[in-house]
Amino acid sequence: MVTELVGERGLAELLRVREEYRSLAADVARAREQNVRLQAEVRRLREDPSAIEDLARRDLGLIKPGEKLFIIRDVPAGPTAR
């Protein structure tokens, strides 16, 4: 009887394996969702020229000819007037 609960193939092992299965199934579901998102992004980049432009502007900081680039930096606050 004790062997059935704690043995190599006992209830404790069964519960551990079930929990591991649930965890792995959740990992697979997350990976599938990410795969769907990435496939949609690939499709968008292949079919929509504005998507490539958006990516180039955002990630590479590129601008179109004739556009002006303004860089705004945070300036530390000086002493306050009293």
Side-chain angles (χ1 to χ4, degrees), residues 58-71:
R58 184 184 69 233
D59 292 354
L60 302 176
L62 299 180
I63 61 172
K64 289 181 180 179
E67 289 183 335
K68 293 182 181 179
L69 174 65
F70 294 91
I71 299 173

Side-chain angles (χ1 to χ4, degrees), residues 42-65:
V42 166
R43 189 176 316 109
R44 189 172 143 256
L45 288 170
R46 285 185 177 158
E47 298 172 359
D48 184 5
S50 67
I52 295 172
E53 180 181 342
D54 292 341
L55 187 65
R57 289 173 173 274
R58 184 184 69 233
D59 292 354
L60 302 176
L62 299 180
I63 61 172
K64 289 181 180 179

Side-chain angles (χ1 to χ4, degrees), residues 2-27:
V2 173
T3 306
E4 293 172 359
L5 293 176
V6 294
E8 189 175 302
R9 294 182 161 232
L11 181 61
E13 179 65 11
L14 175 64
L15 295 175
R16 186 194 67 75
V17 169
R18 281 186 182 171
E19 182 56 36
E20 183 178 358
Y21 174 82
R22 285 187 197 107
S23 176
L24 291 172
D27 290 346

Side-chain angles (χ1 to χ4, degrees), residues 20-37:
E20 183 178 358
Y21 174 82
R22 285 187 197 107
S23 176
L24 291 172
D27 290 346
V28 168
R30 281 190 294 275
R32 285 183 175 153
E33 290 171 4
Q34 182 182 19
N35 193 25
V36 167
R37 285 192 303 273

